[in-house]
């Protein structure tokens, strides 16, 4: 079994910062890509940022220069530092992990969503 637990989120004023954390645990052999997605009301879920096991990153154009994704492979944890937040960043944020279990089964796991609300 693999669990993915998200922490962080909340309410912040425009221009403020928040940090999200996502920790995977359980029968994990390795984790490939880890990422953050978000879904705003009446919109489709979209990729915010992705980081490979080797540390390569990819960002949505809308967050480049403001958000930073990082990971601690020893802790199976990924972080999203969000600075200069805008009201349009308001959404439910989800963590995603591509996990290879100790049984050598590769599966995608999602953490519970966390609400990020940016007030103007």
């Amino acid at each position: 079994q693999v669990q993915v637990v998200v922490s962080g989120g909340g309410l912040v004023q425009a221009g403020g910062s928040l940090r999200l954390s996502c920790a995977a645990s359980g029968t994990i052999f390795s984790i490939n890509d880890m990422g953050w997605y978000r879904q705003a009301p009446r919109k489709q879920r979209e990729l915010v940022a992705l980081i490979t096991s080797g540390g390569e990153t990819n960002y949505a154009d809308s967050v480049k220069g403001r958000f930073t994704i990082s990971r601690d492979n020893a802790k199976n944890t990924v972080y999203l530092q969000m600075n200069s937040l805008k009201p349009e960043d308001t959404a439910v944020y989800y963590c995603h992990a591509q996990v290879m279990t100790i049984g050598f089964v590769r599966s995608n796991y999602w953490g519970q969503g966390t609400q990020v609300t940016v007030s103007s």
Side-chain angles (χ1 to χ4, degrees):
Q1 291 286 355
V2 174
Q3 298 79 40
V4 179
V5 178
V6 176
S7 60
L11 174 65
V12 66
Q13 289 188 332
S17 298
L18 284 174
R19 189 190 196 213
L20 306 181
S21 299
C22 170
S25 62
T27 55
I28 297 171
F29 177 76
S30 65
I31 301 178
N32 190 11
D33 294 351
M34 300 185 82
W36 292 94
Y37 291 73
R38 68 186 180 187
Q39 187 166 17
R42 298 175 298 280
K43 291 188 177 181
Q44 291 189 330
R45 188 174 298 189
E46 63 174 357
L47 174 67
V48 176
L50 184 77
I51 185 167
T52 69
S53 58
E56 294 180 5
T57 59
N58 186 34
Y59 295 92
D61 288 342
S62 60
V63 307
K64 284 180 180 177
R66 300 187 297 121
F67 291 10
T68 302
I69 189 170
S70 61
R71 67 190 282 175
D72 184 334
N73 290 331
K75 296 181 179 179
N76 291 330
T77 299
V78 63
Y79 307 95
L80 185 67
Q81 177 66 43
M82 304 184 291
N83 298 329
S84 302
L85 282 160
K86 303 175 180 180
E88 50 264 43
D89 295 317
T90 296
V92 177
Y93 284 70
Y94 298 90
C95 172
H96 171 262
Q98 289 183 345
V99 175
M100 176 75 81
T101 68
I102 58 175
F104 297 103
V105 175
R106 188 182 298 277
S107 298
N108 293 310
Y109 290 88
W110 292 88
Q112 83 281 12
T114 186
Q115 178 70 47
V116 171
T117 302
V118 184
S119 62
S120 57

